[in-house]
Amino acid sequence: MPLHHIILASFWVLYCLLHSLLASTRLKNRVRQLTGKNFRYYRLFYTLFATFTLVLLVCYQLSLPSEKVFEPTLLSTLPGVALTLTGLTLMFVCIRKYFFSLSGIKSLFQESTTDELMISGIHRYMRHPLYSGTFLAIWGGWVLFPFLSLLVANAVITGYTLLAIRLEEEKLVAAFGEQYRAYQRSVPKLLPRWPLGRTVSTERP
């Protein structure tokens, strides 16, 4: 593998590690102690920082010379388009649903005082639809643009996300106990069961 692709992989790993560090409960608790009421700005800062560094990283990746792993054809383009559009649609639905809380805007005006497991809407069919959409979008995009640099980035993103899902679910089990375990038993992690339509109870046992 060319050296610049190894450097690219290192940058993606570093980005993922920073993402995990800034999202860690230990760091957030420490920042809350130091900043007091100003902690409500933390989520917004985190979102802006993550977005800015992601844009820088993507721009760096696009500037690299990179060969294609294979030449796209009509037979590969059609499923690539289908995967990408499906993934982007899933991501849009999730981001639209949680935009104000994910971006940190909601925390500027309202401090959360509830500890409720939200599994309505698309979360009735899969536990992590945003990650499902991400996988579909990035790998569908690679089918359309099969550059080695994009393959490297997708491999790091996929590996990190799978690990992040595991750690996130451990936190959710710790927070919600049997309620989340029942949700895990009822709803698949990334791929919905067919046919759709099964609902999930959110009541605590």
Side-chain angles (χ1 to χ4, degrees):
M1 181 183 296
L3 177 60
H4 55 269
H5 285 123
I6 297 175
I7 295 174
L8 175 65
S10 301
F11 280 156
W12 273 109
V13 170
L14 178 61
Y15 176 82
C16 293
L17 291 176
L18 281 174
H19 184 280
S20 292
L21 176 63
L22 293 174
S24 67
T25 303
R26 178 177 297 181
L27 178 62
K28 288 192 290 187
N29 287 340
R30 179 58 177 166
V31 173
R32 182 182 285 108
Q33 292 175 356
L34 294 174
T35 59
K37 292 183 178 180
N38 290 326
F39 181 74
R40 67 181 185 272
Y41 297 107
Y42 182 82
R43 182 73 197 188
L44 181 60
F45 161 78
Y46 166 79
T47 301
L48 294 174
F49 177 79
T51 301
F52 177 71
T53 52
L54 178 61
V55 170
L56 287 180
L57 184 50
V58 170
C59 289
Y60 170 74
Q61 178 175 318
L62 293 175
S63 71
L64 296 177
S66 186
E67 65 273 19
K68 290 182 179 179
V69 178
F70 62 89
E71 284 297 328
T73 66
L74 181 61
L75 290 178
S76 66
T77 299
L78 292 178
V81 170
L83 289 173
T84 303
L85 291 179
T86 302
L88 291 176
T89 301
L90 268 176
M91 294 173 69
F92 174 78
V93 169
C94 295
I95 292 173
R96 183 170 178 261
K97 181 178 180 181
Y98 294 117
F99 174 76
F100 287 103
S101 57
L102 288 176
S103 64
I105 295 176
K106 182 178 179 180
S107 63
L108 298 180
F109 306 99
Q110 177 183 346
E111 184 175 353
S112 176
T113 58
T114 60
D115 187 21
E116 182 181 357
L117 180 62
M118 300 298 293
I119 53 176
S120 60
I122 197 170
H123 290 82
R124 293 179 298 165
Y125 309 115
M126 47 188 142
R127 302 199 301 274
H128 302 284
L130 181 58
Y131 296 144
S132 299
T134 300
F135 289 150
L136 290 173
I138 64 174
W139 287 108
W142 182 75
V143 173
L144 295 174
F145 306 100
F147 291 99
L148 180 57
S149 58
L150 188 54
L151 177 62
V152 169
N154 285 2
V156 175
I157 293 169
T158 300
Y160 166 75
T161 303
L162 291 174
L163 177 60
I165 290 174
R166 179 178 177 181
L167 297 177
E168 182 178 331
E169 294 221 316
E170 289 178 357
K171 290 181 181 179
L172 290 168
V173 168
F176 298 102
E178 183 56 33
Q179 185 186 14
Y180 193 78
R181 292 190 183 93
Y183 179 52
Q184 286 178 308
R185 292 191 294 267
S186 301
V187 177
K189 184 183 295 184
L190 294 169
L191 297 175
R193 295 191 183 99
W194 297 95
L196 298 178
R198 183 177 180 181
T199 59
V200 180
S201 173
T202 60
E203 297 297 325
R204 293 183 183 273

